[in-house]
Amino acid sequence: MSATRPPKPSPIKGPQTKAVQAVARTAAQEVRIIGGQWKRSVLPVPVSAGLRPTPSRVRETLFNWLGQDLSGWRVLDAFAGSGALGFEAASRGAEDVLLLEREPGLVRSLQATQAKLKATQVRVMQADAISWMRQARQAGLFDLVFLDPPFDEGLFWAALEGALNCVPDGGWIYLESPALLQQLPEADQHAQLIAQLAPHRQGQAGAVHFHLFRRVAAQPA
């Protein structure tokens, strides 16, 4: 790992625990890219605790919202896992896609997929996503950040804070979670953060809620 992890937040508890468990039980063992130059290419999903690739129907909806052509976009897949979101963006024309993953086995799998697809616009880095995104030098580097953190680790607010650092005003942030943003634990403590996320679209697939936001400037207190 390239950075020390921040203190671990409280895990998801209460009614949302069932949602977390339901998502884990239905995780696929492989996924396919659904559009662009690598359409139908298979991405392996290694067995790993908490790994939960974004389903095809959710990715299809997301890229309908974003537009099918991401030519010229700079994209960060912050909790890459199988790389389904990042490779999908690259397949649709994104010119620079960075996949962050902290688990060595998943990093090796991502590197193997990158080599198999000859995806020269895709970079794979072993790093703790939250620590990496918080660095001042990452400010405003990306047009779009994907956030699909492990549901049982309570990383949602820290991940959103990091993503806000990585996109300029008007940039896109995508989040998957076991509940709507305003219903996540400790939402009332993050009003200022939420105020910087202008909702664009949101949806639900089974136990997964997915949100697409645009970053807006923070208002003075």
Side-chain angles (χ1 to χ4, degrees):
M1 239 174 254
S2 65
T4 302
R5 294 187 63 188
K8 187 174 181 179
S10 300
I12 297 292
K13 296 181 180 179
Q16 294 178 28
T17 301
K18 292 183 178 180
V20 171
Q21 294 171 344
V23 171
R25 285 195 300 270
T26 58
Q29 296 306 302
E30 67 176 29
V31 294
R32 292 180 182 271
I33 295 175
I34 57 176
Q37 64 174 317
W38 301 316
K39 185 176 181 180
R40 300 189 183 90
S41 295
V42 174
L43 305 179
V45 180
V47 176
S48 180
L51 183 58
R52 180 186 43 76
T54 301
S56 296
R57 62 175 174 157
V58 174
R59 280 183 285 126
E60 183 175 9
T61 299
L62 170 61
F63 285 94
N64 284 337
W65 293 347
L66 289 168
Q68 300 298 323
D69 184 0
L70 301 188
S71 295
W73 286 44
R74 302 160 299 164
V75 177
L76 173 63
D77 190 350
F79 300 85
S82 68
L85 290 168
F87 283 115
E88 189 78 51
S91 182
R92 295 167 185 267
E95 72 173 20
D96 181 29
V97 178
L98 176 59
L99 309 181
L100 298 182
E101 176 54 55
R102 70 186 183 191
E103 299 297 336
L106 296 178
V107 170
R108 291 191 292 271
S109 179
L110 291 168
Q111 291 170 334
T113 299
Q114 189 269 349
K116 177 182 177 182
L117 295 175
K118 299 180 181 179
T120 56
Q121 70 274 56
V122 175
R123 297 175 288 143
V124 179
M125 180 184 299
Q126 184 177 353
D128 177 85
I130 292 173
S131 296
W132 191 93
M133 289 190 291
R134 284 175 169 169
Q135 297 175 31
R137 62 184 178 180
Q138 319 304 353
L141 286 183
F142 298 95
D143 303 297
L144 167 65
V145 175
F146 294 125
L147 300 176
D148 186 9
F151 276 14
D152 60 350
E153 294 188 25
L155 300 176
F156 304 106
W157 302 113
L160 285 166
E161 180 184 21
L164 283 168
N165 179 58
C166 291
V167 297
D169 289 345
W172 299 95
I173 297 174
Y174 170 78
L175 172 71
E176 292 187 21
S177 61
L180 293 173
L181 182 69
Q182 294 82 358
Q183 297 173 356
L184 289 173
E186 303 176 352
D188 58 339
Q189 301 175 32
H190 294 87
Q192 187 172 4
L193 187 156
I194 293 173
Q196 297 178 70
L197 298 167
H200 179 70
R201 300 290 294 273
Q202 65 186 37
Q204 182 177 0
V208 176
H209 293 259
F210 51 102
H211 316 70
L212 184 62
F213 304 103
R214 298 201 83 162
R215 187 189 191 280
V216 295
Q219 298 298 315

